[in-house]
């Protein structure tokens, strides 16, 4: 038994953290929140140079040939640092092409996605919270019409991977005629969302898309869980640091047992989530029978607990935590995205209960 | 990452299973108590010979003295539990006492006490808490004075589990009244069967009497029953057996209770349908399963890291509180499933009865109190896990 990380995995995490922190600096996230996206683009180039965008893409197509666990470990760091950009939709698109595409599609797209030279976005959500393969209704053979919502970083995408009726995927070139992209006023400005409308746009079906889709969804659930855990870990650390510095009644507020116990409860919510997301990703890599259940449970549990902790993080700061100028709201809004994207906590708990066959 | 035990350990598991198949029956019809005790003792002896039990105890004191291998230790524990075979004696704090004796006891003490403790020939109880020394244990006031070659003990202990059936008590006493509170305590082994000791059982809120008050009125102990140095009892009492410390014990228990809870939800009907089909019930149990799964994989991680000698991280500080919270939520879900049965006294209900859950509703509080209350656990997490300044109240 070795349910722990290798030195290589830990050094990838360190390298990603250094790149994100180095690129964003002190005020990078605030610049992004105020509309200047230059550092987001710079970060994408840096992550591409590091090779992590292709972490799970096979080596023959220019990736590192690693697994979902490695992608999830990277996601944890991105959540920890609130790293902005298209990573989530991009790596899920690459998985869809790798698992569902034919040789030609894989050879055409995977090398460009591995380097980050082309950005892909995944278009899943339809109206009424329909995120899952059995709920998709858009259809077409070689032309596609219809609307998808909450597509992350669609404005930067060269390629859309679109969920189709029957639970498969198709590819649409973002520059093709008949593709309209509209920004939504997203809650999380580190991962802006768009409505993408297709009007007779040229479509290329992924032949094994229907087999790939459940795996891609499960991978997405595990990656969001990992991002959520990273964010929660950051909130616990930040709230603890603040408590050590902030003084009231002539001493650091960390001395007050009421706050100490709140901070301990936050840590108690977050820390046990680490193994839960590890297992969800590991079970996916092993194609374990319990992988679907683990992914649903991890997403529901972790995004639920870590959103609460993101709120507690603000509360532990008092008034300063409620300001736009301070960082705390950026983490909470990231946690709100994690809670809702790919379906909310209630949906995935219901799925987990069904998958447990109670 | 590998979550399996691996082929070599799987083979070891087969070996343990075969041993138990050959040597142990969980039930023998019409067996008397003494016969059963004999059978249990025989199995423990065989298991020690085979190197399965008391792996951290030297052969000289009756153990099997095996090299530390946490995976093997865990496999043995799981397999013994699976067929309800007698495992290592843990009654009355025996596990803790053994760790302390092996580290601090002198040769004579080890020879006299270790082996009989392994086989339960000596029953122990733990004398730590006092009416005015609970979370603040180091303020304990029961005193022992050396008069000639005997310790003379006066004072009172409380919450002493199993005192009425214990042969000996391992006792924290104040021997150096002038010293700072942590440095004035000694660790003493005292015979329970003597005139200076009075035991009064405490009736618990369940109606059962398991723990007691113990009064010392000029009780005596020979001078050489002090374990470790005089005045070092605080440090001595903090000792635990480090050999194969990693274990999934508490986890297996919670997982079994969770399966029981799902069964209760299946067997309970609401409006003519199983309660488990109610979406609100499913949500709540799925939310609980999130905590159980988080605990499972955190325990795997802790186990894995401890077994390979790595620092296991802050979850090890959280395990008790996490488990207490899970027990409380299980009790609350069961409460909602019990309906009118929640009005009935469970008594000592056990087995598969629905009332077992009303009993669990009461006893789930034990976890949040015994062995360091939940608020004490939060203090520990804040201080050691989050690096917050030490509590201003002297710990």
């Amino acid at each position: 038994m070795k349910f722990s990380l290798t030195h290589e995995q830990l050094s990838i995490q360190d390298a990603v953290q250094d790149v994100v922190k180095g690129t964003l600096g002190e005020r990078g996230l605030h610049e992004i929140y105020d509309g200047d996206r230059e550092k987001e683009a710079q970060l994408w180039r840096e992550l591409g140079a590091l090779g992590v965008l292709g972490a799970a893409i096979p080596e023959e197509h220019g990736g590192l040939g690693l697994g979902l666990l490695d992608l999830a470990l990277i996601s944890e760091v991105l959540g920890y640092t609130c790293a902005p950009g298209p990573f989530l939709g991009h790596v899920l698109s690459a998985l869809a092409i790798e698992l569902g595409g034919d040789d030609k599609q894989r050879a055409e797209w995977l090398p460009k996605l591995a380097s980050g030279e082309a950005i892909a976005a995944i278009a899943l959500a339809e109206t009424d919270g329909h995120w899952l393969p059995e709920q998709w209704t858009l259809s077409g053979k070689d032309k596609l019409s219809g609307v998808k919502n909450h597509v992350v970083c669609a404005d930067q995408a060269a390629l859309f991977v679109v969920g189709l009726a029957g639970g498969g995927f198709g590819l649409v070139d973002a520059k093709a005629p008949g593709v309209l992209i509209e920004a939504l006023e997203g809650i999380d400005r580190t991962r802006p969302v768009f409505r993408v409308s297709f009007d007779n746009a040229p479509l290329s079906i992924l032949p094994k898309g229907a087999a790939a889709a459940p795996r891609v969804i499960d991978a997405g659930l595990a990656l969001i869980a990992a991002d959520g855990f990273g964010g929660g870990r950051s909130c616990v650390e930040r709230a603890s640091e603040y408590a050590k510095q902030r003084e009231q009644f002539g001493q650091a507020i960390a001395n007050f047992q009421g706050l100490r116990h709140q901070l301990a409860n936050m840590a108690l919510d977050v820390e046990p989530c680490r193994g839960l997301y590890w297992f969800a990703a590991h079970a996916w890599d092993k194609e374990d029978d319990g992988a679907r259940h683990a992914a649903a449970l991890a997403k529901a549990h972790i995004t639920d607990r870590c959103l609460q902790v993101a709120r507690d993080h603000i509360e532990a700061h008092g008034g300063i935590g409620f300001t736009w100028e301070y960082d705390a709201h950026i983490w909470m809004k990231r946690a709100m995205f994690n809670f809702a994207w790919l379906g909310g906590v209630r949906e995935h708990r219901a799925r987990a209960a069904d998958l447990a066959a109670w | 990452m590998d979550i399996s035990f691996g082929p070599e350990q799987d083979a070891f598991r087969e070996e343990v299973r075969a041993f138990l198949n050959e040597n142990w029956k969980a039930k023998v019809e019409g067996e008397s108590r003494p016969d059963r005790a004999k059978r249990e003792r025989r199995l423990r002896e065989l298991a020690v010979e085979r190197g399965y039990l008391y792996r951290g105890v030297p052969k000289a004191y009756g153990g099997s003295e095996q090299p530390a291998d946490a995976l093997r230790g865990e496999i043995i524990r799981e397999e013994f539990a699976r067929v309800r075979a007698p495992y290592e004696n843990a009654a009355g704090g025996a596990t803790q006492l053994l760790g302390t004796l092996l580290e601090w006891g002198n040769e004579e003490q080890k020879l006299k006490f270790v082996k009989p403790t392994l086989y339960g020939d000596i029953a122990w109880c733990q004398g730590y808490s006092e009416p005015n020394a609970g979370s603040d244990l180091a303020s304990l006031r029961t005193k022992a004075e050396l008069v000639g070659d005997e310790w003379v003990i006066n004072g009172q202990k409380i919450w002493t589990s199993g005192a009425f059936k214990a042969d000996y008590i391992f006792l924290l006493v104040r021997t150096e009244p002038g010293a700072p509170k942590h440095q004035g305590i000694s660790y003493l082994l005292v015979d329970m069967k003597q005139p200076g000791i009075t035991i009064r059982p405490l009736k618990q809120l369940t109606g059962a009497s398991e723990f007691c008050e113990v009064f010392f009125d000029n009780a005596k102990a020979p001078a050489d029953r002090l374990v470790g140095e005089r005045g070092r009892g605080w440090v001595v009492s903090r000792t635990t057996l480090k050999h194969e410390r990693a274990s999934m014990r508490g986890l297996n228990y919670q997982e079994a209770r969770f399966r029981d809870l799902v069964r209760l939800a299946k067997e309970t009907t609401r409006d003519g349908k199983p309660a488990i089909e109610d979406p609100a019930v499913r949500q709540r149990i799925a939310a609980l399963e999130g905590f159980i799964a988080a605990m499972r994989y955190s325990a795997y991680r802790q186990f894995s890291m401890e077994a390979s000698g790595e620092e296991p991280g802050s979850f090890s500080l959280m395990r008790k509180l996490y488990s207490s919270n899970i027990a409380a939520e299980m009790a609350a879900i069961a409460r909602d499933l019990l309906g009118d049965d929640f009005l009935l006294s469970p008594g000592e209900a056990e087995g598969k009865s629905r009332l077992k859950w009303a009993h669990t509703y009461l006893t789930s509080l034990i976890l949040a109190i015994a062995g360091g209350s939940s608020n004490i656990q939060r203090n520990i997490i804040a201080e050691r896990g989050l690096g917050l300044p030490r509590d201003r109240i002297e710990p």
Side-chain angles (χ1 to χ4, degrees), chain A residues 19-155:
Chain A
V19 160
V20 179
K21 287 196 161 169
T23 308
L24 291 178
E26 280 292 300
R27 297 301 296 168
L29 286 173
H30 290 279
E31 288 167 21
I32 284 156
Y33 257 73
D34 291 333
D36 174 1
R37 310 201 70 80
E38 171 47 37
K39 286 198 170 134
E40 181 181 328
Q42 196 190 328
L43 177 60
W44 189 256
R45 291 191 295 272
E46 298 278 352
L47 291 174
L50 198 58
V52 296
L53 301 176
I57 292 174
E59 286 170 284
E60 64 193 271
H61 292 303
L64 300 180
L66 302 172
L68 184 69
L69 177 62
D70 303 280
L71 272 186
L73 293 168
I74 295 163
S75 294
E76 179 196 330
V77 178
L78 300 180
Y80 179 76
T81 52
C82 263
F87 182 85
L88 175 61
H90 182 81
V91 297
L92 290 178
S93 299
L95 273 181
I97 294 168
E98 188 200 322
L99 298 173
D102 59 27
D103 288 347
K104 187 163 164 289
Q105 288 163 327
R106 289 153 56 101
E108 182 184 356
W109 285 107
L110 292 181
K112 284 189 269 188
L113 300 183
S115 67
E117 167 198 345
I119 292 174
I122 195 157
L124 306 173
E126 300 186 8
T127 48
D128 298 327
H130 288 173
W131 286 91
L132 301 179
E134 58 275 20
Q135 299 169 319
W136 296 332
T137 62
L138 268 58
S139 65
K141 250 186 164 162
D142 50 12
K143 297 281 183 189
L144 183 67
S145 292
V147 177
K148 289 283 188 178
N149 287 312
H150 307 303
V151 182
V152 178
C153 292
D155 58 337

Side-chain angles (χ1 to χ4, degrees), chain A residues 49-350:
Chain A
L50 198 58
V52 296
L53 301 176
I57 292 174
E59 286 170 284
E60 64 193 271
H61 292 303
L64 300 180
L66 302 172
L68 184 69
L69 177 62
D70 303 280
L71 272 186
L73 293 168
I74 295 163
S75 294
E76 179 196 330
V77 178
L78 300 180
Y80 179 76
T81 52
C82 263
F87 182 85
L88 175 61
H90 182 81
V91 297
L92 290 178
S93 299
L95 273 181
I97 294 168
E98 188 200 322
L99 298 173
D102 59 27
D103 288 347
K104 187 163 164 289
Q105 288 163 327
R106 289 153 56 101
E108 182 184 356
W109 285 107
L110 292 181
K112 284 189 269 188
L113 300 183
S115 67
E117 167 198 345
I119 292 174
I122 195 157
L124 306 173
E126 300 186 8
T127 48
D128 298 327
H130 288 173
W131 286 91
L132 301 179
E134 58 275 20
Q135 299 169 319
W136 296 332
T137 62
L138 268 58
S139 65
K141 250 186 164 162
D142 50 12
K143 297 281 183 189
L144 183 67
S145 292
V147 177
K148 289 283 188 178
N149 287 312
H150 307 303
V151 182
V152 178
C153 292
D155 58 337
Q156 300 175 43
L159 176 73
F160 291 112
V161 172
V162 185
L164 302 175
F169 288 119
L171 304 180
V172 177
D173 190 322
K175 300 285 176 302
V179 178
L180 177 68
I181 296 165
E182 300 161 89
L184 299 169
E185 193 69 56
I187 186 72
D188 175 13
R189 293 192 185 182
T190 64
R191 288 170 298 179
V193 287
F194 296 81
R195 177 184 299 121
V196 182
S197 310
F198 304 97
D199 180 12
N200 239 7
L203 175 72
S204 154
I205 301 276
L206 296 186
K208 290 175 287 179
R215 296 274 290 157
V216 172
I217 295 296
D218 290 346
L221 296 173
L223 294 182
I224 294 170
D227 188 286
F229 167 73
R233 191 160 64 81
S234 187
C235 288
V236 172
E237 282 178 17
R238 284 161 172 269
S240 302
E241 280 312 306
Y242 183 74
K244 286 184 220 171
Q245 282 154 23
R246 168 77 173 165
E247 293 192 359
Q248 286 287 275
F249 302 100
Q251 58 186 303
I253 59 173
N255 286 310
F256 298 117
Q257 203 171 46
L259 180 62
R260 291 161 73 86
H261 284 189
Q262 286 175 346
L263 295 171
N265 285 339
M266 288 165 67
L268 188 75
D269 261 336
V270 173
E271 178 55 33
C273 293
R274 185 195 302 268
L276 185 56
Y277 99 70
W278 282 7
F279 179 73
H282 173 71
W284 192 97
D285 282 330
K286 296 281 166 207
E287 302 192 42
D288 188 284
D289 289 342
R292 301 222 78 192
H293 175 256
L297 203 63
K299 150 83 170 160
H301 181 79
I302 297 176
T303 64
D304 182 27
R305 295 332 303 159
C306 291
L307 176 56
Q308 181 58 48
V309 165
R311 283 178 70 94
D312 298 341
H313 170 224
I314 291 180
E315 201 182 316
H317 278 79
I320 188 80
F322 201 72
T323 62
W324 186 265
E325 270 305 292
Y326 198 74
D327 294 348
H329 73 103
I330 298 177
W331 265 264
M332 189 174 82
K333 289 167 182 172
R334 182 120 176 165
M336 290 165 76
F337 175 106
N338 287 336
F339 188 97
W341 205 79
L342 264 188
V345 167
R346 196 181 54 82
E347 286 80 359
H348 291 294
R349 285 210 176 114

